[in-house]
Amino acid sequence: MSSLAKAKALAINRLRARKPLDESMIDRFLERHEVPIVEGVKCTFLFRGDADEVWVRHRIVGQPQQVPMRRVSGTSLWFVVIELPAGSRVEYQLELRRGEHYEQGNDPLNPHVANSPVGSSSVCQATGYVVPDWITPEEDVRPGEIIDLAVASAALRRETTCRVYLPARFRTTHSYPLLIVHDGDDYLNYAAMKTVLDNLIHRMDMAETVVAFINPGDRNREYANSVQHARFVKAELLPRLESELPLIAKPSGRALMGASFGGVAALSTAYRHPDVFGSLILQSGSFVFTDIGNDHGGGEVFDPVVRFMNRYRAEPRRVADQLFISCGIYEPLIVPNRSMIPVFEGTGMRVQYVEARDGHSWEDWRDRLRDALSWVFPGPQKYYYE
């Protein structure tokens, strides 16, 4: 291999070109490189160990989601090169076959892991992806406070616990906008949302805001276009919050937020009470619909969602003043979300739509929080003259 060819070759190919190749050379190779190895748009995934077959498993829609690895001849090292456009963030796992035994898990060579309520996955941060600097605690930022608020719900027939975020320097003589967040504990635990609020308010990117983090009981029932859930939010939770906290008690000061099924919950609640909430933040909403027939492919849990979305698409109407909508390009919900943008805009609502090279994940939704929160409730840093 010429010097120029060596310079252009991927690291894995430079390693494979070395003869003879032994395990000590692979030791040194792995010490020098982070895994996956990112070289431009090409990402080299590696596995080292005994196996009969190894695959990279990801969930990029439209791409083969089980990608076989190749063994570097005569060694314990496996590899595959996958092209990922700049800015991509992809969650994945490795699947191994040993004889008749299959196992799947995170990449042992990669320290980057994303967590969610259903487990964890390894993360490939492609070229150009940058972890936002506003998701980690900063020394000079005065933190807000979270207090628990129990709300007995006749609509839901259960006791609910709401976690209420009060910004630093909270004072009863001031009036605050209110944001109600579905899947609240998940936003706190997997999207670092308290830290994000602290940092964005400190930087004056968003207004000082009171945030109510609510959680479902039976999520599939309460968040799938539920009359009872909408009644709880509008007739039980909201009056309780506005009676106990100094809030801007008008639509322009109220927002609903949710991701996935939580996005459906936010939209369907506002649909039933269109004059209550001025803003919605909808992240990767499960806006599944059919143009003909009832075969939507999502299983019976999606039946009430599809009925709601089909009804909404047949007779769209204004449910708030403005919507912030985001979705990952690599998730199956990208087509339904894109399809809903002109429908929403056609009702006269102001719509801000953002896509990212990411999937259906809490870190994707975390990375969009600054754009969403500063757009819905902008701080002094975001003010500008028109």
Side-chain angles (χ1 to χ4, degrees), residues 186-207:
D186 290 341
Y187 266 104
L188 290 168
N189 294 329
Y190 305 116
M193 191 157 170
K194 178 181 181 299
T195 299
V196 172
L197 290 167
D198 288 341
N199 289 340
L200 296 185
I201 291 172
H202 174 79
R203 298 181 181 194
M204 296 188 288
D205 283 339
M206 70 174 291

Side-chain angles (χ1 to χ4, degrees), residues 30 33-36 45-48 77-78 92 94 106-112 122:
L30 293 177
H33 295 92
E34 290 188 4
V35 177
F45 295 76
L46 300 171
F47 171 74
R48 189 181 195 187
L77 190 66
W78 298 71
Y92 72 97
L94 300 182
N106 291 339
D107 183 346
L109 296 175
N110 180 0
H112 298 297
S122 296

